[in-house]
Amino acid sequence: MRKVKFFMSMIFILAALVACNSEEDGPVSGENGGDEGESRDKITWYMSDSSQAIPAESPMEIPTIQYLADKTNTDLDIQFLPHSDYISQLRLKFASEEFPDVYQNWGITEFDSEFIFENEQALPLNDLLKEHGQNLLEKIPDFAWDAVTIRGDIWAIPRPAYGNAPAERMMFVRGDWLKELDLDIPETSDQFLDMLRAFKTRGDDIIPFSMREDITWGSNLFGMWGLNWWDGYSLYEGEVIPDAIHPRMKKPLEFLNTMYEEGLLDHEFLTNASSEYSQKIRADRVGVWVHNTNLAWGWQENLNNDSNEENPEAIVIPTPRGDGYDGPLGRIEQPVGRTYFIHKDAENPEAIIRLFDWLVTDEGQVFSELGIEGDTYEIVDGEYVYDKEKDKDQQSSFRSQLLRIHPYNEELTRVKEGEEAEEKLTTAYELAREEGIPNITIGIPPAPSLYDLRGLFVETAAKIIVGDAPIDTFDDFVETWINNGGEEVISHMTEWYERLN
């Protein structure tokens, strides 16, 4: 029986696949394309614009979309909904019975669970994939399919996590500082603490470890003890409980208190906004931070552009192991990025499967990464030559964010970003694949009172970290939360976990 993993938003689909275009549509070519004059399958599709610049024309007037339609013998009616309120827009449309044939979300969340289990509207894809999606089944890794499979039924087409690495956040360290101080990469929490102490000797303004407001963007430090307080859950004594109330949470809180007392933790960890956090790192003040693995090259570029030090280096390191703990480490696994659901009454769902199946072929991967040959890339002496600026100027680079479905492609990454960037990213992804905390709540609708839990945790944890409250205050916090709705949350999560497994 497959398991489901991941957090974040549901995908829904309904409507009709009907198609009817005349010979005026011109020739259809490509691996899955039809002959000239063949009618096309019309597909309506909702997706987030992911805050990308997208041309204002109707979809089939956008060259990128028309090219995809030509290659897959389809007529694509795509609505790019604003990323900032995407789920709200979906809910409004569905409430008005404005259903597309396919729409995009991120994983399987409350929205998806309602669609699959309560409304019984989603179409299981197992048989369709066997008949029309062999490339998808072959090229998308099993962990991504597991994340969209519930009790043996596949409910969505998944885009694998960046770099095929479900543990999508890692610790970043100034590698040049390690060399300067003749330090090894730490493997334990004690060695990690010693590294931070060594970094502190570089100057009074040095911040050995930084986080962001409300104790966020520090997941892998908590992950040294197998916990992610913000969105992690663990199976404890037969119940599914939030990591924020796990008894083992005392370990990272005591560790952070030691860091704070010794000046190893950014004293503005409760108030750092994203811009302040980034500025400190780029100004050579921060030795260790936690961020998305797919930005391994982005952080290096930031230092290349802004650092005043010679040969600055941002490296990704494995999450050190916390004292007394022997379980999985790092960030809770997020196996998929985008997910695509088909409505059970779609007239021609096989056309949707064939479209996504083409996108993971070699030809489809080149298209989603580089664009259209002769426009945004050329082939010179058998090598791809990509024009990044032209892609950006034409507002066609949204393609790689919105239409990419394939796993990590080292060759195309090298073409787009350069050899140094590809090597940096590949190394980071390889490390990220070696760790990760199993996500046991994929597909489980969020329980009530989660935001109350977060607020209570931040208040309690902050007092413990800065030394204003003893560690046993944590026990009082847990008891208070359980007695004020927490018991219902645990019951909800446990019942759903048992239902899905």
Side-chain angles (χ1 to χ4, degrees), residues 201-219:
T201 65
R202 297 187 80 251
D204 292 338
D205 65 338
I206 293 295
I207 301 169
F209 185 90
S210 185
M211 294 191 295
R212 276 161 52 176
E213 60 223 320
D214 294 335
I215 318 179
T216 57
W217 292 90
S219 56

Side-chain angles (χ1 to χ4, degrees), residues 164-294:
N164 308 342
E168 35 74 84
R169 291 184 190 171
M170 295 288 285
M171 281 189 176
F172 285 72
V173 172
R174 284 295 295 262
D176 51 321
W177 294 7
L178 289 176
K179 295 174 184 175
E180 171 193 319
L181 297 166
D182 195 24
L183 299 172
D184 294 327
I185 293 174
E187 297 181 358
T188 68
S189 54
D190 287 341
Q191 293 172 0
F192 182 77
L193 204 58
D194 287 339
M195 178 186 70
L196 299 183
R197 290 169 177 144
F199 284 173
K200 185 64 180 174
T201 65
R202 297 187 80 251
D204 292 338
D205 65 338
I206 293 295
I207 301 169
F209 185 90
S210 185
M211 294 191 295
R212 276 161 52 176
E213 60 223 320
D214 294 335
I215 318 179
T216 57
W217 292 90
S219 56
N220 291 59
L221 189 145
F222 292 90
M224 292 162 68
W225 284 272
L227 301 172
N228 283 180
W229 80 264
W230 178 260
D231 53 5
Y233 285 82
S234 296
L235 194 60
Y236 179 73
E237 296 185 348
E239 295 183 312
V240 176
I241 68 170
D243 282 358
I245 69 163
H246 198 292
R248 197 167 60 242
M249 181 57 72
K250 288 183 177 181
K251 285 282 193 178
L253 292 179
E254 289 178 315
F255 191 79
L256 280 161
N257 171 250
T258 297
M259 289 170 56
Y260 186 88
E261 294 291 345
E262 295 189 23
L264 308 178
L265 174 65
D266 190 339
H267 277 211
E268 296 177 317
F269 73 95
L270 290 172
T271 58
N272 276 328
S274 174
S275 57
E276 296 166 329
Y277 169 84
S278 176
Q279 191 277 331
K280 290 175 181 178
I281 296 169
R282 295 164 75 134
D284 301 317
R285 295 187 61 203
V286 177
V288 187
W289 64 101
V290 171
H291 221 276
N292 295 332
T293 316
N294 68 303

